């Protein structure tokens, strides 16, 4: 796979990642995106920091979200608050041109009432 267009991602995701400066998939993205786009199987993949792991799993997730349904369709578990925030910001950047997408991060150390209110809005 030489370009992101070959991944089958929708045009809105392709536009966002192009504007972010992504030109071609990294090795971890080349290996995982096709598997995640073609099946509902779980996958375990490892790669060094900075190799594009968030896009490797995040882009297929965003591609498959049904934005007409305000129900949780995907859950990403993170070991730290900082990583949770980083992944959320990346997903928000990738989904910039997707309509009606609602991404929410939930983590400790903040008022639970605000997070519960946000959860009731139906993030996907």
């Amino acid at each position: 796979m030489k370009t992101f267009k070959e991944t089958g991602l929708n045009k809105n995701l392709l536009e966002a990642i192009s504007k972010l400066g992504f030109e071609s998939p990294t090795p971890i993205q080349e290996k995982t995106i096709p598997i995640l786009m073609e099946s509902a199987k779980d996958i375990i993949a490892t790669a060094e920091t900075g190799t594009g792991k968030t896009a490797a799993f995040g882009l297929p997730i965003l591609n498959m979200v049904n934005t007409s349904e305000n129900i949780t369709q995907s859950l990403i578990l993170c070991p730290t608050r900082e990583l949770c925030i980083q992944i959320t910001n990346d997903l928000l950047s990738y989904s910039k041109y997707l309509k009606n997408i609602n991404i929410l991060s939930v983590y400790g150390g903040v008022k639970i009432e605000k997070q519960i209110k946000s959860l009731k809005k139906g993030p996907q």
Side-chain angles (χ1 to χ4, degrees):
M1 177 173 22
K2 301 280 185 207
T3 69
F4 279 103
K5 287 182 182 179
E6 296 173 63
T7 63
L9 293 169
N10 77 52
K11 63 180 178 143
N12 294 320
L13 290 172
L14 291 173
E15 180 180 1
I17 60 178
S18 174
K19 290 190 176 183
L20 288 168
F22 296 134
E23 296 177 8
S24 58
T26 65
I28 189 71
Q29 294 163 354
E30 281 186 292
K31 291 177 184 173
T32 59
I33 291 174
I35 294 169
L36 295 173
M37 292 286 289
E38 295 174 5
S39 74
K41 292 182 180 180
D42 291 337
I43 185 171
I44 296 173
T46 60
E48 295 291 322
T49 299
T51 58
K53 292 182 297 295
T54 301
F57 67 81
L59 292 172
I61 288 171
L62 292 168
N63 195 77
M64 293 185 274
V65 167
N66 182 347
T67 57
S68 65
E69 293 189 30
N70 288 334
I71 59 170
T72 302
Q73 299 168 45
S74 182
L75 177 66
I76 301 168
L77 301 175
C78 306
T80 67
R81 178 183 335 172
E82 292 76 16
L83 184 58
C84 177
I85 293 167
Q86 177 185 328
I87 290 172
T88 300
N89 288 337
D90 287 348
L91 294 176
L92 290 169
S93 295
Y94 305 152
S95 64
K96 181 177 181 178
Y97 301 108
L98 295 178
K99 293 181 181 179
N100 302 318
I101 189 102
N102 186 358
I103 298 168
L104 175 66
S105 57
V106 177
Y107 48 85
V110 296
K111 292 188 178 195
I112 191 71
E113 294 82 14
K114 182 179 177 185
Q115 291 187 13
I116 290 171
K117 185 178 178 181
S118 295
L119 282 167
K120 288 181 180 179
K121 292 180 181 178
Q124 291 102 353

